Every structure is written in C-alpha cells, then in structure tokens.
C-alpha cells in the first residue's frame, strides 16, 4: 500500500521507467557478449537492469568464465557504450514510456519535487533528447554516485539535494536492484513492469499512466 498523501518528492529511475532505453542496453550488451563467445539471454539481462556499466561487464565476464586485463575491460566498456550511443542517437519524445510526461506534469502542478535517480552516465543526454530535463529539481546519475544500486546512495543523494526526508520520498523503479536500493534508503517504492522481477515493491504497476490520478 502506498501512502500518496505523504509524498513530497518522487525519485524516478530513467531506463525502463521514463524512457524506453532498456532494450538498447540489452542489444548493446548482447552484441558485446556475442563477440566474447557468450550467448546473452533475457534472463541475464534482467540481472543487469539498474546495475552500472562497469559492474555489468564484470557479471558478463563472470558468466562467460573469462578473465580480462583492466585495459581490455576499458576497451570493452568503450565499445559497448559506443554501440549504445549509436542506438539511442535518434531518441526523441516518442520514446518516453506511457504516462511519463503526464505524471511529470501532474507532479509539477501539485508542487511535488522531482528527482532523477539513475545509474546511467548517459542520463542527461537522454533527458535532453526526450525533452523532459526541465521537469527535474535534482539530477543524480552515474556520474555523481560512487556506489551502484542496490546501494541506496543514488536515492539518498536525491533526497538530500531536494532537502526532503527519505520517509516522504517515493521511488519509481523497473529493476530489482533499484527496488532494493529504495527500500534500503527507507523510501516508499513502486515497481514498474512485471511483479516477478520486482520483489519487495510496495506496489507494482504496468506503466506510469495509472499513477497520474493518485496525486
Ligand atoms: P550507462 P537506470 C541503468 O540505468 C540501466 O538500467 C543499466 O542497464 C545500465 O547498465 C546503467 O544504467 C548504466 O548505464 O552505461 O548509460 O552509464 O535504470 O538506473 O536509469
Ligand atoms: Mg531502470
């Protein structure tokens, strides 16, 4: 159960919550894995959602039983990111997921603070391309956090910048690592997607459209 009346700030995950970019991360990782001789599955991909680029590569190398030097890892990360950037080059407002824009508008109208809490180092470019950057009162992304989800740092920093106690914050997340991070931060959390991948969420919705009338 969510207590909507207590919410003073909403912290949005980016990939898979606001914008339909999760598929492009999947395609880029699958291409990299394939070059390494590893067949990357959708089940593998689910474990990378919300996880930083560096940690994602470590997981893939581990699953593939491969060891690489630091230089080789850096080259692989650059390659994956270049492919990902090529895939999102044409990103535009049409790639916003259902209900995202309506929810951002509604929260702004109601005076509820809005923050980004994303693991991505590409987050700002994505917010610009999709035309929603102006809605955010705080932007916390992979360039400013040290510790990846499920560590709560990304959401605690968001609450701190907004000046709002975690208990009054609501997180919207599509990844298990993000649900765990929100709970560790002491915040309410709504999972976006399929319930079986979002254990511990206070509520799971298929998309953000169903939340617009709650505020
Ligand atoms: P980048 P989120 C996460 O974004 C993605 O879910 C995850 O798949 C990706 O590896 C991570 O960002 C890092 O992204 O390579 O662009 O820095 O879901 O936390 O918004
Ligand atoms: Mg996500």
């Amino acid at each position: 159960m969510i207590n909507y009346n207590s919410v003073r700030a909403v912290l949005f995950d980016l990939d898979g919550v606001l914008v339909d970019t999760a598929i492009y991360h999947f395609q880029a990782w699958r291409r990299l894995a394939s070059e390494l001789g590893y067949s990357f599955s959708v089940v593998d991909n689910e474990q990378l959602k919300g996880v930083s680029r560096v940690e994602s590569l470590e997981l893939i190398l581990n699953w593939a039983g491969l060891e690489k030097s630091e230089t080789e890892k850096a080259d692989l990360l650059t390659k994956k990111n270049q492919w990902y950037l090529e895939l999102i080059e044409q990103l535009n407002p049409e790639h916003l997921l259902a209900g995202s824009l309506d929810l951002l508008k509604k929260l702004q109208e109601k005076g509820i603070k809005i923050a980004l809490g994303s693991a991505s180092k590409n987050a700002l470019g994505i917010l610009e391309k999709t035309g929603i950057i102006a809605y955010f009162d705080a932007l916390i992304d992979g360039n400013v956090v040290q510790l990846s989800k499920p560590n709560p740092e990304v959401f605690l920093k968001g609450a701190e910048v907004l000046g709002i106690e975690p208990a009054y914050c609501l997180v919207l997340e599509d990844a298990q690592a993000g649900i765990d991070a929100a709970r560790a931060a002491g915040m309410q959390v709504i999972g976006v997607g399929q319930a079986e991948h979002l254990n511990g969420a206070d509520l799971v919705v298929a998309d953000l459209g169903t939340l617009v009338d709650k505020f």
Side-chain angles (χ1 to χ4, degrees), residues 13-15 25 48-51 53 118-122 149:
D13 175 58
L14 179 65
D15 297 315
H25 278 298
L48 301 191
K49 284 188 182 171
V51 175
R53 201 182 306 165
S118 169
S120 176
K121 293 188 171 183
N122 296 302
K149 301 169 188 176

Side-chain angles (χ1 to χ4, degrees), residues 17-193:
V17 169
L18 285 168
V19 185
D20 199 6
T21 40
I23 181 70
Y24 301 125
H25 278 298
F26 173 60
Q27 289 172 1
W29 282 127
R30 190 177 51 184
R31 185 171 170 188
L32 192 81
S34 159
E35 273 204 0
L36 294 168
Y38 178 70
S39 172
F40 181 73
S41 70
V42 287
V43 176
D44 293 336
N45 188 55
E46 203 57 46
Q47 295 186 59
L48 301 191
K49 284 188 182 171
V51 175
S52 74
R53 201 182 306 165
V54 171
E55 289 182 30
S56 297
L57 178 64
E58 293 294 346
L59 284 169
I60 291 172
L61 292 175
N62 197 26
W63 296 330
L66 296 170
E67 284 197 19
K68 298 282 175 192
S69 68
E70 290 309 310
T71 317
E72 287 169 324
K73 284 183 198 172
D75 290 345
L76 291 168
L77 288 169
T78 302
K79 218 188 237 193
K80 184 270 171 179
N81 196 49
Q82 274 168 357
W83 289 333
Y84 177 66
L85 290 176
E86 280 167 24
L87 288 165
I88 64 166
E89 204 183 323
Q90 305 301 325
L91 213 63
N92 62 59
E94 285 175 17
H95 290 87
L96 287 171
L97 285 163
S100 327
L101 193 56
D102 290 342
L103 183 58
L104 289 167
K105 282 183 181 161
K106 184 70 176 286
L107 294 171
Q108 195 176 59
E109 263 170 44
K110 295 280 174 182
I112 295 171
K113 296 283 182 202
I114 300 173
L116 184 78
S118 169
S120 176
K121 293 188 171 183
N122 296 302
L124 297 192
I126 292 171
L127 293 180
E128 275 165 6
K129 278 174 187 280
T130 51
I132 55 173
I133 198 161
Y135 286 96
F136 290 85
D137 301 297
L139 293 166
I140 313 296
D141 67 10
N143 298 296
V144 296
V145 293
Q146 307 297 321
L147 304 164
S148 252
K149 301 169 188 176
N151 187 286
E153 185 189 9
V154 65
F155 296 131
L156 290 174
K157 273 211 164 116
E160 193 187 327
V161 171
L162 295 174
I164 293 181
E165 291 292 318
Y168 303 113
C169 293
L170 170 67
V171 171
L172 305 180
E173 255 295 344
D174 74 318
Q176 188 63 55
I179 301 287
D180 297 341
R183 290 191 68 88
M187 299 176 179
Q188 297 194 85
V189 56
I190 296 181
V192 183

